[in-house]
Amino acid sequence: MRISKSESFVVGSLCIIFLLIILASCSIPAVGGQATPAASGTAGSVNAGAPGATTQENQIAQAVFRALNQSRAENHLPPLRWNVALVRSARQHNLAMQAANTLSHQLPGEADLGKRESQQGIHWVWAAENIGETTEMSTNGALALHQAMMNERPPDDGHRQNILTSVGTMIGIDILLDQQHGVLWLTEDFAKE
């Protein structure tokens, strides 16, 4: 079978995206099952976006939120609640990734996931994070990241496990459209208080 240059580029691009997704899944339980002390977070009934996010970024984040909860419903799981404090945590992480132009769960000088959530007022007993990036800076690009996460299979299905958590109860999703680097950054922060 011959693969044309364009087919080779598409296959190579999909492989790179898949590898980035595999490397970008993380979850942590609280040490000893204890909640991290912090001020109380707010779970808004209105799905507010992060301070500084554009209307387009917030709309894309909401599309991912709807797709994520649809995936949960298809797997007979209750929806996750939107949490504004987790959105702020996700936004801070997207800004750090943009500044470093690096996809990573923790960048040099940055607090770890648990501390980032605690700093936003989350009394978490379980926390997890999914991150991703794509050069398709649109709702379709973000939804393609979500679909790639849902298509993961064991043992490399950390993103899918986070999305289909039976432990977590809330989520904050942030999208950052990085014009400088031509990248859409996605961070999904999960928690249970």
Side-chain angles (χ1 to χ4, degrees):
M1 180 172 139
R2 290 186 58 116
I3 297 177
S4 70
K5 285 184 180 180
S6 64
E7 289 172 324
S8 177
F9 175 76
V10 170
V11 170
S13 297
L14 290 174
C15 288
I16 289 171
I17 290 171
F18 181 71
L19 287 174
L20 288 173
I21 289 173
I22 287 173
L23 296 173
S25 178
C26 171
S27 68
I28 56 173
V31 176
Q34 299 297 313
T36 302
S40 159
T42 58
S45 58
V46 175
N47 295 347
T54 67
T55 299
Q56 182 182 11
E57 290 167 335
N58 289 331
Q59 289 171 344
I60 296 171
Q62 288 300 309
V64 172
F65 178 62
R66 287 188 300 273
L68 185 143
N69 274 330
Q70 179 61 41
S71 294
R72 290 179 59 79
E74 290 167 2
N75 285 275
H76 312 289
L77 293 165
L80 295 176
R81 291 185 335 267
W82 187 262
N83 184 285
V84 176
L86 290 174
V87 173
R88 289 192 307 265
S89 171
R91 183 64 172 192
Q92 285 181 334
H93 189 59
N94 273 344
L95 290 169
M97 290 192 298
Q98 175 192 33
N101 193 27
T102 301
L103 184 73
S104 176
H105 283 287
Q106 186 177 10
L107 293 153
E110 183 186 31
D112 65 29
L113 170 63
K115 187 166 219 163
R116 289 194 318 260
E117 288 191 4
S118 294
Q119 289 170 343
Q120 294 303 319
I122 299 296
H123 299 278
W124 60 273
V125 294
W126 176 87
E129 178 174 77
N130 288 344
I131 58 175
E133 67 177 335
T134 180
T135 56
E136 189 175 341
M137 296 175 53
S138 65
T139 300
N140 287 340
L143 292 175
L145 287 173
H146 172 74
Q147 192 57 54
M149 291 177 186
M150 289 305 299
N151 289 341
E152 294 173 348
R153 294 294 171 243
D156 298 317
D157 63 336
H159 295 101
R160 187 173 191 278
Q161 288 180 27
N162 288 342
I163 291 167
L164 300 179
T165 178
S166 60
V167 177
T169 59
M170 58 186 148
I171 191 169
I173 300 171
D174 183 68
I175 297 292
L176 178 61
L177 298 175
D178 179 353
Q179 302 298 330
Q180 178 184 1
H181 300 109
V183 172
L184 177 152
W185 301 99
L186 163 71
T187 298
E188 301 171 340
D189 282 353
F190 303 80
K192 176 183 179 178
E193 287 188 301

